[in-house]
Amino acid sequence: MKEEKKLKVFNVGTSWFVKPLEDQGIEHYNLDWSPPAKIDKDISSILKKLGRK
Amino acid sequence: MDISEEIEKSNKKAFDIMNRGKAMLTDFDYAGKAIPGMKENMILHAGPPIAYSDMIDPMKAAVQGALMFEGKADSLEEADRMARSGDFEFKPCHEMNAVGPMAGITTAGMYVAVVENTEFGNKTYCNLHEGRGKILRFGATGKEVLERLNWMNNNLGPALKEVVKKKPVDLKNIAAEGVQMGDELHQRYRASSLLFLSSISENLLELPNAKEIFKFIAEREQFFLNLAMPAMKALADPADGIKYSTLVTRMTRNGVNFGIQVSGLKGKWFTGKVEPPVGLFFTGFSQKDAAGDFGDSAIMETLGLGGLSSAAAPSVTRFVGGSVKDAIHATELGYKITYGQSKDILIPAMDFRGAPLGIDILKVNETNILPTINTGIAHKQAGIGQIGGGISHPPLKAFNDALREYAAAYGL
C-alpha cells in the first residue's frame, strides 16, 4: 500500500493562492514577495539616503 | 533628529489629520458668493493647471457651455472666442479649495455644495451633480443641458440650502456606511446616494417642491459623488503643507496631464501624461473612442476610497472589467503604498480593515506600485458623454519628479 504523504505548501508572492489552501486545511506558509521594482539610479540614491531600499 | 525620523513624525501628523477630520455638509450657494477669491471672470477646471487652448475637446466644450449658462455668450463659437481672448482666468478647482468631477468646470453663477471640516475649520466646494448622459461635465452643451443647469440653480440648490441649514449632514459618516453597503465611492455610489437622500428627507419633505427635488436625487445613483469629493478634499486639505511629510494630498487629472501634490512640498504640481482608462465600453464604443482620463474625482483615491477600496464593491468589478480577486488585489496593493488605515471607513471584505490611507511617495517610488483609480470613461469627442467604466493609474513620472523635488527641497 502506498504511503500517503501530508502536503505542505510554501507560497511565494500573491496571496490569492492562499485562500484555497486554507479552505482545504492544507498546511502552508505564505511569503509576501514581489520582484524588486526597476528604479532609476537617482531615485534609488535618494531612497538610500533616506535609509530605504 | 535625522531626516528619516522627521519624515516619520510628519507623516504620522499628516495621517492623523486626514484620519481625524470631519466632513459636514453645511450649505449650498453660488460659487461666486461661497468660494473665497472666486471672480466673475474666473473659470475653474479639473486637474492640474492647463490653458484653454490645450484642453481636450470635452473640457473645452464644458467651458463654452458654462459661458452660455452664465449668459456671457449666445453661441458655442462666441464662447470659444471669449475663452481664447485672455479675458478669463482659468484655475484648477483644487487651487480654490474646490473639486469638480470630469471637466470640473465651475463658474461664479453656479450653485456649489459647501463642506466644512469641523475638526480643523477649513471649507471645500463642489458643483452639483447633473446625472449621467448628456451633461456639462462630459462636455455636452445642448438646450436640455443648459435648461437642467438652470433648474438646478433655481430649484435644487436653494432647496438643499434650506435643508442643510436646518440640519447639516455628516458626509464622512455616510461614506463609511456606504462602504459597508457595497460602495467603493468612485464608481459606485448607489448606497451612499440613498443614505444621503434618507438623511435629508425629513426636512426636504417639508418644502413645497419636495417631490421634484426628491425625484431628481433618487433618479441619480451617483448623486453622492459631488458631495463625497468635497468631503474627501475637506479631510485632505489640513494635512497639506506639513514640513517633511511625504504623503500625497492631491491627485487629479485634466485629460492631458495627471497631477499630484505632496504635503511637504506645498503648492507644487508634479505631472505626467494621462492615458485613457482601460475597461469595459457601452455597446457601440471601444478603446479608440476614449478620452484621456480627467476629473478631480481621484481625490477619492487620495483618501483611500475608489480603486484603493475596490474590495468593498464586488459589483463594480464586472463594470470595470475585472474579477473580485482583482478588486481585493487592488486594495492589498493600496496597503503597500499607504501610511496606515482609516479608523472610520472599514472594508467588510478585508475583515473590516480600514481603507488604505495616506499614499506615501516614498513607498510608491520604492515599489513602483501605483494607486488604482476607478473611473468613468468619457468619449474624446465633446457632448457624447460617458461610454464606459474602467481603471487608470497615475504616471510613475509624477511620483519620481515629486521625490526628486523633495530631495532638492530638503537638501538630500
Side-chain angles (χ1 to χ4, degrees), chain B residues 103-332:
Chain B
I105 301 303
T106 307
T107 48
M110 288 180 187
Y111 246 77
V112 292
V114 180
V115 177
E116 191 172 347
N117 183 338
T118 49
E119 190 75 11
F120 296 97
N122 59 299
K123 289 182 180 177
T124 56
Y125 312 89
C126 185
N127 55 18
L128 305 186
H129 185 71
E130 302 165 78
R132 287 189 195 264
K134 290 198 183 301
I135 48 177
L136 189 75
R137 75 175 198 269
F138 278 103
T141 53
K143 191 168 166 256
E144 77 272 34
V145 175
L146 300 181
E147 280 177 359
R148 188 189 306 110
L149 286 173
N150 274 307
W151 179 87
M152 288 165 63
N153 248 27
N154 297 328
N155 297 276
L156 180 68
L160 291 176
K161 182 183 183 75
E162 209 173 322
V163 167
V164 302
K165 280 285 176 190
K166 282 185 185 163
K167 186 184 164 194
V169 179
D170 186 337
L171 298 174
K172 190 180 180 186
N173 191 34
I174 290 179
E177 283 284 322
V179 168
Q180 298 283 310
M181 294 166 69
D183 286 353
E184 39 65 84
L185 291 166
H186 193 158
Q187 194 64 253
R188 184 184 148 98
Y189 287 95
R190 199 171 281 274
S192 40
S193 294
L194 291 173
L195 287 167
F196 171 71
L197 190 55
S198 163
S199 75
I200 62 167
S201 59
E202 185 187 353
N203 290 318
L204 176 61
L205 293 173
E206 285 177 5
L207 302 181
N209 58 346
K211 191 175 173 183
E212 57 178 348
I213 304 293
F214 194 97
K215 186 169 179 284
F216 185 89
I217 298 173
E219 285 175 350
R220 286 161 173 78
E221 80 278 7
Q222 283 201 328
F223 191 84
F224 195 64
L225 164 73
N226 295 50
L227 302 175
M229 285 174 55
M232 294 307 125
K233 182 167 174 60
L235 300 177
D237 278 0
D240 201 25
I242 296 174
K243 195 177 177 189
Y244 291 111
S245 174
T246 55
L247 299 194
V248 173
T249 50
R250 288 159 190 175
M251 294 197 295
T252 181
R253 51 278 199 245
N254 59 28
V256 178
N257 287 315
F258 196 117
I260 68 166
Q261 291 199 342
V262 177
S263 176
L265 298 167
K266 190 174 170 63
K268 291 185 177 170
W269 288 105
F270 303 99
T271 62
K273 194 176 175 302
V274 295
E275 296 295 333
V278 176
L280 293 180
F281 290 85
F282 302 155
T283 307
F285 299 104
S286 67
Q287 193 73 48
K288 68 177 170 46
D289 301 312
D293 200 16
F294 62 118
D296 288 329
S297 52
I299 189 69
M300 302 310 296
E301 278 79 5
T302 312
L303 270 286
L305 293 162
L308 272 71
S309 285
S310 292
S315 59
V316 168
T317 59
R318 295 184 73 186
F319 184 63
V320 298
S323 68
V324 172
K325 278 180 183 172
D326 293 332
I328 291 171
H329 186 55
T331 298
E332 283 175 343

